[in-house]
Amino acid sequence: MESMTYQEWSRRRQERWSKPSRPGVRRGRGKVALGARERRRLAQLAVCVALFAVVLVGKGVFPQRLEQVRETLGAVLHADTDFAAVFAGVGRSIQDGEPVSETLGALWTQVFAPAAAEEPPAPGPVSGGALAGKLASGGAESALALLDGSWMAEEAPPETDPFQTTGNPPAQVDTAVLHVDYDGPALPANASMDRYDLGLGETVTPALGWVSSPFGWREHPVDGGEKFHNGVDLAVNTGTPIGAFAAGTVDYIGDSPVYGLYLQLDHGNGVTSFYAHCSKLCVQQGETVAMGETVAEAGETGNATGPHLHLEIKKDGVLLNPVYYIETQ
């Protein structure tokens, strides 16, 4: 082993510490002095980090893009990306002295858009991939131009004013009901003066006669006083055939002091027809009848002042004015 004096050992030690290890870097005790090139790289890195931070915290500034960010992150988490290889490549790029902007652009492409080169870009707002491309091609200055907020906003359809043309909101028209003006006394809850679409197709007039008592409020011809008349009275001769208003089934038949002999037909679609004060019933309960088929004969049984047909028509349980659906004399 070579022997040396203390002075020789001290001189060699001073030379070793004063020799720079690589160009542009000066070593000293406790700190590292960076060259101009390294300082420029660090500045580029700081700008890039700040740009990506703006994008990631866009939740508070641009909440409408939050869902897209979630989808992108979800796709990244479920993708078959070799993160170890990706970041190893980033480390090699930095070690080899490649520009930081190009390194980060390549990192974005490998992680967030591995298939971007295979598919043409879709038209629309600038995406995060485009931001990375700006970083890679034009540096931080070009990328800053994208952060004015315009690329964050989806193009919204022009707003329309529903009151612009008429000054009133568009009416919700029920084509199944034709409104009829009525200014008389309040109707019972199960009655309407409006004309409903029965949806039955063909119908016929059960018996052609003149209206001796209309639908609605009236002075009762026997009992007196104002009472609501549930149907219409058609004055006809005793024995006049009564045809079925439409095809259907005999719902029930009966006899009472008020209505005399009566029956009801169920035509489907929530529609029923009721016939009262008959002199004779020609059908049985449960029987199927065709439109216009004779189901009874007119009379004056029950509480009546003369021969007539009392006809009622209902739609979904609502009493309607029969004269909307039949012919009269």
Side-chain angles (χ1 to χ4, degrees):
M1 181 175 183
E2 181 182 0
S3 61
M4 65 180 67
T5 64
Y6 174 78
Q7 292 79 6
E8 181 67 18
W9 174 84
S10 177
R11 182 182 61 78
R12 291 185 179 183
R13 181 173 180 272
Q14 184 175 4
E15 290 177 354
R16 185 166 61 252
W17 276 102
S18 61
K19 182 179 180 180
S21 59
R22 53 182 297 185
V25 178
R26 297 191 303 274
R27 293 177 180 259
R29 291 197 182 190
K31 67 177 182 178
V32 177
L34 299 179
R37 181 180 179 183
E38 281 69 26
R39 288 197 300 271
R40 184 172 63 255
R41 290 180 180 175
L42 287 179
Q44 288 178 330
L45 179 60
V47 171
C48 292
V49 170
L51 294 177
F52 281 106
V54 170
V55 174
L56 293 180
V57 301
K59 170 183 176 181
V61 181
F62 310 108
Q64 66 272 24
R65 303 297 295 177
L66 179 58
E67 188 62 30
Q68 180 177 338
V69 173
R70 289 175 178 167
E71 294 177 0
T72 302
L73 293 180
V76 171
L77 294 176
H78 291 85
D80 296 329
T81 303
D82 188 348
F83 289 96
V86 170
F87 285 101
V90 172
R92 286 194 300 271
S93 298
I94 295 177
Q95 184 176 4
D96 294 341
E98 295 183 6
V100 175
S101 60
E102 295 181 7
T103 301
L104 291 178
L107 172 63
W108 183 287
T109 301
Q110 293 180 58
V111 174
F112 291 96
E118 302 175 5
E119 300 179 2
V126 180
S127 63
L131 179 62
K134 283 290 184 181
L135 287 172
S137 60
E141 294 80 1
S142 299
L144 283 173
L146 296 176
L147 294 180
D148 61 355
S150 60
W151 68 279
M152 285 286 191
E154 297 285 356
E155 183 178 357
E159 296 183 0
T160 58
D161 185 359
F163 304 98
Q164 183 175 2
T165 302
T166 62
N168 295 308
Q172 299 296 325
V173 179
D174 185 354
T175 57
V177 179
L178 178 62
H179 176 68
V180 177
D181 289 334
Y182 171 74
D183 57 2
L187 300 174
N190 66 331
S192 174
M193 285 294 180
D194 294 338
R195 179 168 182 167
Y196 284 52
D197 180 4
L198 302 181
L200 296 181
E202 278 193 277
T203 61
V204 298
T205 299
L208 186 60
W210 58 276
V211 177
S212 59
S213 186
F215 174 80
W217 292 102
R218 66 167 183 172
E219 180 78 19
H220 196 278
V222 177
D223 301 332
E226 286 286 324
K227 292 187 178 180
F228 191 86
H229 193 211
N230 293 342
V232 63
D233 289 346
L234 300 172
V236 293
N237 296 325
T238 299
T240 299
I242 300 172
F245 174 65
T249 304
V250 179
D251 200 8
Y252 56 79
I253 62 175
D255 187 3
S256 76
V258 176
Y259 288 111
L261 292 174
Y262 61 86
L263 69 119
Q264 178 165 294
L265 301 180
D266 185 349
H267 305 291
N269 201 38
V271 180
T272 59
S273 59
F274 179 78
Y275 314 81
H277 305 296
C278 304
S279 61
K280 179 182 177 181
L281 300 180
C282 305
V283 292
Q284 298 295 323
Q285 184 173 346
E287 187 177 339
T288 300
V289 298
M291 180 187 65
E293 179 180 341
T294 299
V295 294
E297 294 179 2
E300 52 182 315
T301 58
N303 193 4
T305 58
H308 69 281
L309 167 63
H310 173 82
L311 175 65
E312 298 179 11
I313 294 179
K314 292 181 182 179
K315 167 67 173 171
D316 299 325
V318 178
L319 288 163
L320 304 175
N321 191 344
V323 297
Y324 296 154
Y325 311 103
I326 63 173
E327 296 179 3
T328 61
Q329 290 182 339

